[in-house]
Amino acid sequence: MKILHVIDTLNAGGAERVLVDMANMLSKAGVQIEVLLLQDGGVLEKDLAAGVSVHKLRRTNKYSLKKALATHRLCKRFDIVHVHMRHCYAYIHAVQLSFGGNYKVAFHDHYGNIGIDKKIPVTLRLPSAPKFYIGVSRELCKWAAEYLKPAKQFLLSNIIMPRHNVDHENAVGNKAIMIANIRPTKNIDFAIDLSNAMGFELDIYGQKSDVEYYDQLTSKISGNVNIRIIEGVTDFSKLYSDYSIALHTAKSETGPLVLLEYMAYGVPFVSYKTGEVAHMVSADLPDLFVDNFEVENWKDRIDKIKQNNDMPRKLQTIFRDNFSSEKYLQQCLEIYQDIVAY
């Protein structure tokens, strides 16, 4: 079985990290995996295993026939073209529509705003809707079943591959970490308000995805030495011991991947209740999740979590029981076998 994973770049982001971990895992299991980047590399490219070949289209004009033909010639060498992100699927679908090819296109939907935006993009409307759909959350799969009606649909919840074996103990002090690319859906301004209300230090790690929102945030924290926005970091595993709590305030998510990372490293967190991780974990650890944006409610939850010295161990146990790489690999292989057999 030959699989080509497609995405635009490997800049820091949740879908990009999923692709890297998935490609490495499948390659290690003996599956022939290659990666096509529609634009260019990125900071996560270095994390791909040595055995995973990377093709860089370096496309600057999405209407270039030369680049489309090069994409077609590559794709037709594979049994399945596994496409991450909606705009990437639109391009691969257009290429296959233009040049043909017997390869099967699986669309892996990571769309994080599904909780607040359920409209159907033109590029996903029938008859362009994907035949094979992979959603990272139940909410995405429910949306796809209603509006896209794929021939085959699969739920594949995200996982992460911890880089180090670190036992996090409840850190003392009042220092919080937040990992989120800078865009309005992440609701970072609420995290700032919360930190100010609690007298916390807050380090926000993320890439500048929305310049206007970034400027609003920097203006808001101007002169506040307790709150920092830090760009360019991709490996947080050795930083977590500096923080007593992690925050996740996004209004809509499908994962989110960062909560899995907090769990893997035993980092206590409080999060808005959205996404597949909240769905799977909230029954066992309800105190981690808040269903509103009332500062007092978040303060109460944070105080409660910080006082629970057993929380790091509980988080790591739930991560091992529910998000193992072995289980994820088996799901991936079953999905590919189902698609190939269709």
Side-chain angles (χ1 to χ4, degrees):
M1 190 185 304
K2 298 173 64 177
I3 312 294
L4 179 67
H5 280 258
V6 181
I7 202 166
D8 48 359
T9 74
L10 285 177
N11 290 327
E16 292 82 357
R17 170 53 63 189
V18 168
L19 183 151
V20 169
D21 286 344
M22 183 181 291
N24 290 347
M25 187 186 308
L26 288 163
S27 177
K28 185 178 180 180
V31 181
Q32 184 173 340
I33 297 291
E34 298 184 28
V35 173
L36 169 62
L37 304 177
L38 298 181
Q39 295 181 24
D40 210 333
V43 294
L44 298 182
E45 184 183 352
K46 68 183 187 305
D47 295 335
L48 281 169
V52 178
S53 297
V54 179
H55 308 270
K56 298 178 182 178
L57 189 63
R58 294 189 172 93
R59 185 193 66 180
T60 56
N61 177 3
K62 65 181 179 180
Y63 300 109
S64 168
L65 286 177
K66 180 180 178 181
K67 296 294 185 180
L69 183 58
T71 301
H72 163 68
R73 287 171 174 166
L74 178 64
C75 288
K76 70 179 185 179
R77 291 169 33 200
F78 295 84
D79 301 305
I80 297 174
V81 177
H82 185 146
V83 187
H84 301 258
M85 310 290 278
R86 294 181 173 193
H87 57 286
C88 297
Y89 167 77
Y91 182 72
I92 295 299
H93 176 71
V95 166
Q96 189 176 41
L97 201 62
S98 299
F99 298 102
N102 294 324
Y103 54 90
K104 295 178 177 179
V105 178
F107 168 47
H108 197 149
D109 196 359
H110 301 263
Y111 188 58
N113 287 357
I114 193 64
I116 56 178
D117 177 14
K118 299 186 186 300
K119 67 177 179 290
I120 312 169
V122 173
T123 52
L124 291 181
R125 294 179 184 273
L126 293 170
S128 297
K131 181 178 289 186
F132 306 107
Y133 179 91
I134 303 170
V136 301
S137 72
R138 286 171 174 79
E139 189 169 13
L140 275 173
C141 288
K142 180 180 178 181
W143 172 85
E146 182 175 356
Y147 296 109
L148 306 186
K149 305 185 187 310
K152 286 284 185 177
Q153 179 175 300
F154 310 92
L155 170 64
L156 185 63
S157 304
N158 290 334
I159 68 157
I160 63 118
M161 304 292 290
R163 303 187 188 186
H164 308 286
N165 293 322
V166 177
D167 288 325
H168 187 283
E169 297 181 359
N170 274 11
V172 298
N174 294 321
K175 193 171 182 181
I177 183 173
M178 181 174 187
I179 301 173
N181 284 337
I182 314 299
R183 59 177 185 267
T185 306
K186 298 297 184 180
N187 201 19
I188 299 169
D189 45 317
F190 175 76
I192 293 171
D193 292 340
L194 177 61
S195 298
N196 285 332
M198 297 197 71
F200 269 25
E201 292 182 57
L202 173 64
D203 287 343
I204 304 159
Y205 293 89
Q207 309 307 312
K208 194 188 305 180
S209 300
D210 186 303
V211 175
E212 183 178 352
Y213 187 57
Y214 175 86
D215 290 342
Q216 291 174 9
L217 294 178
T218 54
S219 177
K220 184 170 186 170
I221 64 176
S222 178
N224 188 339
V225 297
N226 289 327
I227 299 177
R228 300 185 300 166
I229 296 177
I230 303 167
E231 298 183 77
V233 179
T234 58
D235 183 0
F236 304 93
S237 57
K238 295 180 180 179
L239 301 177
Y240 288 133
S241 58
D242 295 335
Y243 300 93
S244 57
I245 195 75
L247 302 177
H248 191 75
T249 59
K251 299 174 182 177
S252 176
E253 286 282 7
T254 48
L257 207 63
V258 69
L259 294 189
L260 295 180
E261 180 146 329
Y262 295 154
M263 293 173 66
Y265 291 103
V267 183
F269 66 84
V270 177
S271 171
Y272 182 62
K273 192 175 182 180
T274 179
E276 190 64 16
V277 175
H279 179 89
M280 295 179 69
V281 175
S282 58
D284 291 319
L285 294 173
D287 290 339
L288 298 178
F289 301 96
V290 186
D291 60 6
N292 58 59
F293 290 107
E294 298 293 332
V295 167
E296 289 302 318
N297 288 343
W298 283 70
K299 288 173 64 176
D300 290 344
R301 292 296 178 89
I302 290 170
D303 287 338
K304 190 172 183 178
I305 293 299
K306 288 185 66 181
Q307 292 169 16
N308 187 341
N309 293 327
D310 200 36
M311 184 56 69
R313 183 195 61 80
K314 289 180 178 179
L315 289 169
Q316 290 181 312
T317 298
I318 289 178
F319 177 81
R320 286 192 295 267
D321 290 347
N322 294 278
F323 303 98
S324 71
S325 58
E326 293 81 6
K327 180 179 178 181
Y328 190 81
L329 173 62
Q330 186 60 37
Q331 285 182 287
C332 291
L333 294 175
E334 288 174 359
I335 288 171
Y336 289 155
Q337 290 162 0
D338 204 349
I339 291 173
V340 167
Y342 184 83

